[in-house]
Amino acid sequence: MKIDPADAFIVVDVQNDFCPGGALPVKDGHRVVPMVNRLMPFFERVVFTRDWHPFDHISFDHAPQFVDQSWPAHCVQDTPGAEFPAALRTGLAAAIVSKGVDPDKEAYSGFEGTDLDSRLQRWGIRRLFIAGIATDYCVKHTTLDARRLGYEVVVITDACRAVDVPEGSGAAAFEAMAAAGAMLVTSKDFE
Ligand code: VGL
Ligand code: ZN
């Protein structure tokens, strides 16, 4: 891949609660960390999104069903579960965008209720490279919003991990992103 100054790398919700041992563990979530670390230096602009919920967020449920988008309490503001994994090279990020902050609203997309679009516009960004967790929720919704907003989007598939409940929803999400005009690549396309 040839990267230029109009490109930005959006790292979606690589947070402790989405890794093994976390409150809403995504299988092999921690595996994206070394990949993201390797990819970040290719970009002048890196943005981290983070799920940043109040303790009483609307999506939290004592008997979470996942398929109906009710979840165990996760990524509660200022708790260890909401932090980035220690191994993630957060110093390379130009910005951190918090979402899901409103107790009454779900927000899977990094653009929803945030200044992400205006920041990217200010930097002159036209193309987004996207990776992170979870493929079938925040990666998908961030990608679909980016396409609606007119960005070119490249999803780095092997640097994403899915909730995958029901099984296959991760694969279906990649199909939906491709259908919306996102290009799918792997981290091997960077060297
Ligand atoms: C996410 C479920 C609930 C995500 C966030 O980051 O994909 N998934 N909240
Ligand atoms: Zn959430």
Side-chain angles (χ1 to χ4, degrees):
M1 297 294 324
K2 172 117 176 46
I3 303 306
D4 76 45
D7 294 331
F9 183 23
I10 312 295
V11 178
V12 175
D13 297 10
V14 179
Q15 291 169 269
N16 288 330
D17 271 343
F18 296 129
C19 294
L24 176 35
V26 170
K27 186 168 181 278
D28 291 337
H30 64 299
R31 296 247 189 160
V32 308
V33 172
M35 286 189 259
V36 167
N37 284 343
R38 185 178 79 80
L39 293 171
M40 282 193 281
F42 285 91
F43 297 89
E44 273 177 42
R45 306 284 193 182
V46 178
V47 177
F48 286 13
T49 69
R50 65 179 177 185
D51 220 24
W52 195 245
H53 296 313
F55 72 91
D56 56 351
H57 189 252
I58 188 169
S59 72
F60 296 174
D61 199 297
H62 292 295
Q65 299 298 302
F66 293 69
V67 282
D68 66 354
Q69 301 179 40
S70 64
W71 308 108
H74 63 277
C75 297
V76 174
Q77 295 167 13
D78 301 307
T79 65
E83 283 170 16
F84 298 114
L88 188 64
R89 296 172 65 193
T90 51
L92 298 179
I96 294 171
V97 168
S98 303
K99 63 179 175 57
V101 178
D102 187 333
D104 304 316
K105 273 197 204 117
E106 184 55 285
Y108 293 127
S109 162
F111 291 99
E112 207 172 325
T114 74
D115 65 352
L116 179 57
D117 185 39
S118 63
R119 251 176 218 273
L120 297 172
Q121 290 302 309
R122 206 178 321 130
W123 292 338
I125 301 297
R126 289 188 299 273
R127 183 169 65 163
L128 304 180
F129 288 74
I130 299 181
I133 313 172
T135 309
D136 31 5
Y137 289 95
C138 292
V139 171
K140 177 176 117 179
H141 285 86
T142 300
T143 295
L144 297 182
D145 270 356
R147 291 295 301 143
R148 269 182 227 116
L149 290 164
Y151 294 94
E152 279 183 62
V153 179
V154 182
V155 179
I156 307 166
T157 57
D158 60 327
C160 296
R161 289 295 183 278
V163 173
D164 220 26
V165 178
E167 211 183 308
S169 72
F174 283 136
E175 279 175 33
M177 293 185 257
M183 184 179 168
L184 306 183
V185 303
T186 75
S187 61
K188 290 171 195 71
D189 294 312
F190 291 80
E191 49 184 43

